[in-house]
Amino acid sequence: MTLVWLLLALVVAPPQAARGDAFEELDLFRPGRSMAAADFTVAGLTGQPLRLRDFKGNVVLLNFWATWCPPCKEEMPSMERLYRRYKDKEFTILALSIDSSGAAPVGAFVKKLGLTFPIGLDTKMTVANQYAVRGLPSTFLIDRKGTIAAVAIGPRDWDGKAAHAAIESLLR
């Protein structure tokens, strides 16, 4: 099953409340079928490779974004607060920039916002295409088993009560 199916299902499937109100409150799409998150390796902003498989057993918030995307900039501070709150509890954020201009503008953006979570460079949109990303920001919540638990297209408040409840339910 491809991730294109997942995005098509966003349009035709009703929201699911199986995990409770937090996922609904955040307006997250929950796939009806178990779907493994595709593994990837990208260059990290620090020069080290960034691999999804290195975070196996953790809850991962995989975010696709760009420096030129105003909604991406809007949600980044709340993502940083979420990361700081849960980073010691087997949770991480992997934020993949699709900026084609490389590390310099991404690094300046990250420094300006004081972001500390891992940043990857997907300059050719290889991973974004694997995940059928069609809008920014796009976020995939991946559970400990490596399954896509929920998807958000567009910005969210990742540091509110609903986001905390959603992450905590995945950490259990």
Side-chain angles (χ1 to χ4, degrees):
M1 175 126 337
T2 66
L3 287 173
V4 171
W5 171 89
L6 175 68
L7 290 177
L8 288 174
L10 282 169
V11 176
V12 297
Q16 298 178 11
R19 292 267 178 140
D21 295 337
F23 287 81
E24 280 185 33
E25 190 175 329
L26 280 171
D27 192 24
L28 300 178
F29 169 75
R30 304 212 9 107
R33 299 168 111 194
S34 180
M35 183 175 291
D39 191 24
F40 59 82
T41 302
V42 296
L45 191 56
T46 62
Q48 297 295 324
L50 190 59
R51 298 176 198 79
L52 181 59
R53 69 181 161 271
D54 291 344
F55 298 92
K56 187 174 181 169
N58 290 338
V59 171
V60 176
L61 187 150
L62 174 61
N63 179 263
F64 292 89
W65 65 284
T67 58
W68 45 262
C69 165
C72 300
K73 186 176 180 178
E74 172 188 324
E75 80 173 353
M76 285 285 182
S78 71
M79 288 171 51
E80 177 63 25
R81 291 188 301 274
L82 182 72
Y83 177 70
R84 289 181 186 203
R85 182 180 187 112
Y86 293 105
K87 69 180 181 176
D88 296 329
K89 298 179 181 174
E90 298 180 320
F91 169 80
T92 197
I93 293 177
L94 301 179
L96 303 188
S97 167
I98 65 162
D99 284 84
S100 60
S101 51
V106 174
F109 180 92
V110 166
K111 185 176 181 178
K112 181 179 179 182
L113 290 181
L115 305 176
T116 62
F117 47 80
I119 304 288
L121 302 172
D122 189 21
T123 57
K124 295 183 180 177
M125 294 185 58
T126 305
V127 181
N129 287 331
Q130 251 183 306
Y131 279 80
V133 170
R134 296 295 177 259
L136 293 179
S138 286
T139 303
F140 297 79
L141 286 176
I142 302 168
D143 67 19
R144 292 179 184 273
K145 296 176 188 171
T147 302
I148 296 172
V151 179
I153 298 177
R156 299 295 189 277
D157 176 8
W158 292 110
D159 191 39
K161 288 181 181 181
H164 296 171
I167 297 302
E168 288 170 14
S169 76
L170 293 173
L171 287 170
R172 283 188 211 114

